[in-house]
Amino acid sequence: MPTQLPPTGSGDLEPSETGDVYIETKSGKTRCQISADSVGCESDFTNAPSVEGQPANGAEVFANGDNRWILGNLGAIPTTTIDYDTYHALGWTIDADAAGTRFTNDGTGHGMFISIEGVEFF
């Protein structure tokens, strides 16, 4: 089983050995991979669009605002479970609460709000 890493102080999440940050929401329903260029999350969405004939289980947003729904599996990643709070990782601000999680790129202002009900890209 992957190791669960504790959040570091001041709301900063440190990258793993791969250079990415892997998180799981407090509810355990969403897992995400954060890199400097993008954030990709997987969840069991209640109202996802179809991708290749199947309901999407992932969404990805890029720092430049490009986005997409995807089929995928993040696999056995060493996630850090985040609380309902604000965090920073690799140039992204992460605001998590009971309604969902907002990822905003600090440089461009683009991002997404994700919950099991769906995703809003901005």
Side-chain angles (χ1 to χ4, degrees), residues 21-60:
V21 173
Y22 304 104
I23 64 165
E24 182 172 337
T25 59
K26 184 175 181 174
S27 69
K29 296 179 180 178
T30 302
R31 298 186 317 148
C32 303
Q33 175 178 330
I34 304 163
S35 71
D37 296 328
S38 67
V39 175
C41 297
E42 69 179 12
S43 190
D44 186 16
F45 299 105
T46 58
N47 191 20
S50 181
V51 173
E52 298 175 13
Q54 299 180 38
N57 68 335
E60 185 173 27

Side-chain angles (χ1 to χ4, degrees), residues 7-8 10-13 23 80-89 92-96 102 106:
T8 58
S10 306
D12 291 330
L13 300 171
I23 64 165
T80 297
T81 300
I82 61 171
D83 206 339
Y84 298 141
D85 206 343
T86 300
Y87 300 89
H88 299 278
W92 296 87
T93 297
I94 305 144
D95 291 308
R102 176 178 300 276
D106 298 334

